Amino acid sequence: MVSFLSKKEHSLSNEFLKNGYLIKKISDDKALSFIKKLFIKIIKNKKGFKNLNEKEIFDNTHKYINKNNLNEFRLSLISSLNDNNLFHKNYFQCAKSLLDIVVGNELVMQKKINLSLQLPNDSSSLLDVHADVWSGDSPYEAVAWLPLVNCYKTKSMYILPFSKNKKYEKNLFSKKVKNSQNLFNKIKKDVHWLNVKFGEILIFNQCLPHGNVVNKTSETRWSMNCRFKSVYSPYADKKIGEFFEPIS
């Protein structure tokens, strides 16, 4: 059978099937610029941030906010961002070229985009090893993970790639695995620590175990995440109209 895919599409498809994720440069610079400027506009209205430059706002956030106020600050930002009518459209544009290949072009999108802030040496913002399908997500969803800073080492996240997942999948829920830390210790030698620079986007399969650890760098991590799936593929607990909205 003749393939209708280009060499580039074949290559990206094979890479995603092998690893369970793609990290690529964003092709729509205007969309990314819109998002960054929107963040800066909203943040500069917050107490203590008005006169800060971009580096101070993002990489050095921890110098201007107490970790006890971090979640309230984060939730306030999420609310303001999701109230902007163009935020979702521009977020999608950042991911569109890869989603077209990995998921398709008839899509639903998560209604509320999430924001993660992780201060240096702060253990209050951890997501222990997990796979989203363990808690009610459809295996047909893909996550678009967009950083606002350069994310590397413990300032980023890890994922167990497809090639290694088969090694563990039969034992993930054995009685010997008593908690998430125990599970991480079991798989940590095989996880990939993802280096995602500002200007790049990560698309990953949330069936695979992933998470983060305490940020041991001297910089704050800012990243967003949003789920996409084909409008016609099976849903799990999160339904269209409740959690997802059709976009194409």
Side-chain angles (χ1 to χ4, degrees):
M1 180 178 176
V2 176
S3 173
F4 286 19
L5 298 179
S6 68
K7 287 184 178 180
K8 180 180 179 181
E9 289 169 333
H10 266 300
S11 176
L12 289 171
S13 297
N14 289 334
E15 184 179 346
F16 186 78
L17 288 172
K18 178 183 177 183
N19 294 323
Y21 66 87
L22 294 170
I23 300 171
K24 301 296 175 185
K25 188 178 184 305
I26 293 169
S27 57
D28 194 330
D29 293 333
K30 288 183 179 180
L32 182 60
S33 177
F34 173 89
I35 291 172
K36 192 84 177 248
K37 288 177 180 177
L38 178 61
F39 263 93
I40 292 171
K41 180 181 178 181
I42 294 171
I43 293 168
K44 284 204 169 188
N45 285 324
K46 304 290 183 185
K47 184 178 179 181
F49 285 85
K50 184 177 180 180
N51 298 315
L52 301 185
N53 61 39
E54 188 174 305
K55 174 75 174 176
E56 292 169 325
I57 288 175
F58 293 108
D59 278 314
N60 293 329
T61 316
H62 53 282
K63 295 181 180 180
Y64 306 98
I65 191 168
N66 188 296
K67 69 177 182 180
N68 294 327
N69 301 324
L70 181 63
N71 197 47
E72 181 183 351
F73 177 76
R74 184 182 68 86
L75 292 175
S76 174
L77 286 177
I78 289 174
S79 178
S80 297
L81 290 162
N82 282 286
D83 283 345
N84 186 287
N85 292 329
L86 294 175
F87 178 50
H88 285 71
K89 182 177 181 180
N90 281 278
Y91 196 100
F92 170 59
Q93 287 301 127
C94 288
K96 184 179 183 302
S97 62
L98 296 176
L99 291 172
D100 282 350
I101 298 168
V102 172
V103 186
N105 58 11
E106 295 176 304
L107 299 172
V108 292
M109 178 182 185
Q110 185 175 326
K111 293 175 77 173
K112 287 195 174 183
I113 296 168
N114 289 322
L115 171 67
S116 175
L117 290 175
Q118 197 177 7
L119 308 181
N121 300 308
D122 178 18
S123 61
S124 67
S125 303
L126 296 185
L127 271 176
D128 291 328
V129 61
H130 67 287
D132 297 4
V133 291
W134 299 348
S135 55
D137 283 84
S138 166
Y140 295 92
E141 297 168 18
V143 179
W145 194 90
L146 181 62
L148 287 165
V149 292
N150 293 333
C151 293
Y152 56 94
K153 296 181 179 178
T154 57
K155 191 185 172 189
S156 186
M157 60 169 278
Y158 62 80
I159 191 168
L160 185 68
F162 268 134
S163 58
K164 301 295 183 180
N165 188 55
K166 293 178 182 178
K167 177 179 171 181
Y168 297 102
E169 58 187 358
K170 290 183 180 179
N171 300 312
L172 287 177
F173 300 105
S174 73
K175 292 181 180 179
K176 293 181 180 179
V177 179
K178 297 180 179 180
N179 53 50
S180 56
Q181 185 59 51
N182 186 226
L183 176 56
F184 178 66
N185 289 337
K186 196 177 189 68
I187 67 173
K188 65 181 180 181
K189 68 177 186 290
D190 287 321
V191 301
H192 286 187
W193 292 90
L194 304 181
N195 184 354
V196 192
K197 299 174 184 176
F198 174 68
E200 296 178 331
I201 193 164
L202 161 68
I203 308 290
F204 71 90
N205 184 329
Q206 40 81 61
C207 296
L208 297 173
H210 58 280
N212 62 17
V213 296
V214 174
N215 176 8
K216 293 296 184 181
T217 75
S218 61
E219 301 170 334
T220 298
R221 182 187 113 187
W222 289 72
S223 64
M224 295 167 283
N225 65 82
C226 183
R227 290 161 183 79
F228 295 85
K229 66 183 291 297
S230 167
V231 66
Y232 300 113
S233 62
Y235 294 80
D237 292 348
K238 296 172 180 176
K239 308 296 185 184
I240 189 170
E242 299 171 0
F243 186 83
F244 290 105
E245 59 183 355
I247 58 168
S248 63

